[in-house]
Amino acid sequence: MTKILIVGGVAGGASAAARARRLSEDAEIIMFERGEFVSFANCGLPYHIGGDIQDRSKLLLQTPESFLARFNVDVRVMNEVVNINRNEKTVTVKNLLDGNEYTERYDFLLLSPGAGPIVPPIPGVKNPLTYSLRNIPDMDRILQTIETNNVEHATVVGGGFIGLEMMEAFHQRGIKTTLLELADQVMTPVDKEMAGFAHAEIRDHGIDLRLGIALSGVEYVPETHIASFESGESTEHQHISGHLNLSLSNSESLETDLLIMAIGVRPETTLASEAGLKIGELGGIWTTPSMQTSDPAIYAVGDAIEEADFVTGNQTIVPLAGPANRQGRMAADNMLGRNESYQGTQGTAICKIFDLAIAATGKNEKQLKRDGVDYEKVYVHTASHASYYPGAEIVSFKMLFDPKSGKIFGAQAAGKDGVDKRIDIMAVAQRAGMTVEQLQHLELTYAPPYGSAKDVINQAAFVANNIIKGDATPIHFDEIDNLTDDQVLLDVRNPGELENGGYIEGTLNIPVDELRQRMHELPKDKEIVIYCQVGLRGNVAYRQLVNNGFKARNLIGGYRTYKFAKM
């Protein structure tokens, strides 16, 4: 009989336990969880705090009792594995309720300890009003503080997924909120110009967004309240509350009632490291494509591991639930005699920011620059479905690709409708090895309420292939502020658009529909840099000019991309 021990009972561990049982009715499966809960929806925690998920029990996907009943898995909560003896193939387990320790032997051991929140050594950060959000007890403590401390203002440090979700949760509860982010943008999986759409949405909702600013110190100021309660006889109860004085890196200060540290997470590798398992260069547990560690009898999955990047093949750490669940399933397969290989992580992710969705898959431009990869990029801003049908919203879409082979490196999108659909399609196309040339031929569903005859992705592919074939010469938003005297900036929008929507300084304005008649106003000895609102009319103007002997370039993504890059 095969004996499988699993350390960690959330995404990867729970998936592995269920899969192992489906494959073998004979295997003995024990799952250890040092916390109080297993198989809980940790991605749903901020949404319960904000009130979108009102019933707390909905977050509890399984209990030890339900796991035993359905999968015959022995789930031991409040039991922490504190040591691995690889030679004896045993683990030492500490019962956190009574402090007793015991050992269990294994044939296979799966490590799924997850990742812990990063809390830098900021003076005063350890206090009763500062929290991270990793599990249900964390969530309960945050809610209790909101209810007992009369929280009127909250501060969130970190503009990643959890930070953004907590920001929105506080806003929904009517709590004034400050968001601090050390970088010059939130949500680092997307590039800065795409994050600009998130910045605008955040500020439009009254959030105090402060970019490029770090938390440098915290002072806890307690307040003591004496409250009396009547339950048969009068008693006094002392309730401690208070506020925090925050010191910021720009020498400013901020008073707040609640502080959430959401800077990021770090792989939990203590157990693996102490057991002598190989730790990768990025700080995660090293694994093979079969999810084995450096010890063939020990597997590891989820946020604690390093895995292969799908695009580059290099090692990466991507703490997302989707990869963790797939890895857990594969580890169970391989422990029970199958031969499955993990095919790499694309990092496909999406985040809700009030009414906006922002999503990405594959590599972003920052990563491609860092790795010295030659790339090109295109932007399109077009309707989520037929613009004449009610409810259409603009999808702002960025695609990164190899300018020679057309290989898809990555994609990003922002908008209020249809963002998940486009990024999911791009994730599939990338995994299937499609090129931007092939994207032109995608046949996607079309009816006015759902899409367009030329989808966002088709249009991005058209622009990309124009560049590859030499039918378009691009210029990008980050080059516009550094034009030379040998270049002329031409805005081909209508004058009213410039007055109402803004324009780039130093622009000459000739509407595209007047360009043929007014072409003589442009110098042929200079390069004409064309822009319109989103790039479409700019391309029409570009073709007119180059077909008449002018040297020109078109601003890809138009003024909309340029404007939001400044947000």
Side-chain angles (χ1 to χ4, degrees), residues 403-419:
K404 296 184 177 66
S405 68
K407 177 183 177 180
I408 300 165
F409 288 141
Q412 302 163 31
K416 296 183 178 182
D417 178 56
V419 167

Side-chain angles (χ1 to χ4, degrees), residues 524-540:
K524 277 203 167 182
D525 61 342
K526 294 187 177 185
E527 181 181 74
I528 311 302
V529 176
I530 310 158
Y531 77 93
C532 63
Q533 186 63 19
V534 298
L536 187 59
R537 285 172 289 175
N539 184 60
V540 173

